[in-house]
Amino acid sequence: NKLGYVLTKAVFTTLTSGLVSGLQIAVDNGFGGQYSQQKAEWMAGVLAQYFLDNADLDTQEVEDYISELMYNEFDTVIEDGSLAEVAAQTCTFYNLCCRGQEAEVRDRIQQLAEKRQRVRVEVTKGESPGEEEEEEEEEGSEDGEGSDEAAEVSLTCVTFLSVDAQCRGASLCL
């Protein structure tokens, strides 16, 4: 149906654009395995269907659902606050679609796509900032205790560099 198609396209664009896009980072870096791109497309369809199947969703419910999908499909937890923005924007698109304002939705999709092109993302794998200190403490321990308590931590640090003057750079660790 036409509503479902426009909404799915709007949802996918919303999920993969903006200055902080955990889904796009997960796809670009294969966090969902070799089928990451297909999972992202599937996720947009599932989220659009979530709107069509449930009346009166609030932003928090949508945010929680996106968070659950990201964890289940990409083993990724996003805690930078961007999911609230994505959920709100997705709700706005749904409401516009329901009111028949498809031209407005298409214009906003185009704006988001242009915004996404202005952002470059660098991903590096690293250690948590305090991990070096923990290793030094463990080496200094004579009885070997404490080494079982320290968990290995491998972070993926993401730096967002924008050609847009509004955002000079931001970082997010996944």
Side-chain angles (χ1 to χ4, degrees), residues 22-158:
L23 177 61
Q24 192 60 51
I25 293 165
V27 168
D28 290 347
N29 293 282
F31 293 175
Q34 68 182 21
Y35 299 107
S36 291
Q37 182 63 41
Q38 291 86 345
K39 283 184 178 183
E41 293 166 5
W42 168 83
M43 187 173 156
V46 167
L47 186 55
Q49 191 63 48
Y50 185 65
F51 277 97
L52 299 174
D53 292 345
N54 296 285
D56 301 322
L57 289 172
D58 67 25
T59 305
Q60 185 62 50
E61 289 173 303
V62 175
E63 180 180 352
D64 291 345
Y65 190 64
I66 295 170
S67 178
E68 181 180 321
L69 288 170
M70 287 298 299
Y71 181 76
N72 291 337
E73 299 302 322
F74 295 96
D75 200 24
T76 302
V77 175
I78 301 174
E79 295 179 333
D80 65 351
S82 64
L83 288 184
E85 180 182 332
V86 168
Q89 198 165 42
T90 304
C91 289
T92 298
F93 279 136
Y94 174 71
N95 290 327
L96 289 170
C97 286
C98 286
R99 291 192 302 258
Q101 296 177 294
E102 290 177 23
E104 174 72 17
V105 172
R106 292 180 198 280
D107 288 344
R108 290 186 184 199
I109 289 171
Q110 181 63 35
Q111 290 170 3
L112 285 173
E114 290 170 4
K115 182 179 179 182
R116 180 177 57 206
Q117 291 175 353
R118 292 191 307 258
V119 176
R120 181 173 58 96
V121 178
E122 292 180 2
V123 176
T124 57
K125 293 195 181 220
E127 298 177 342
S128 69
E131 191 169 317
E132 287 180 14
E133 293 171 13
E134 289 175 13
E135 288 176 10
E136 289 173 10
E137 288 175 16
E138 288 175 21
E139 290 172 6
S141 176
E142 292 178 22
D143 57 8
E145 288 181 33
S147 60
D148 292 335
E149 294 175 18
E152 285 187 37
V153 178
S154 177
L155 297 177
T156 300
C157 293
V158 181

Side-chain angles (χ1 to χ4, degrees), residues 3-23:
L3 172 66
Y5 173 77
V6 173
L7 182 59
T8 300
K9 184 171 174 128
V11 168
F12 183 77
T13 304
T14 302
L15 289 171
T16 60
S17 52
L19 293 177
V20 179
S21 175
L23 177 61

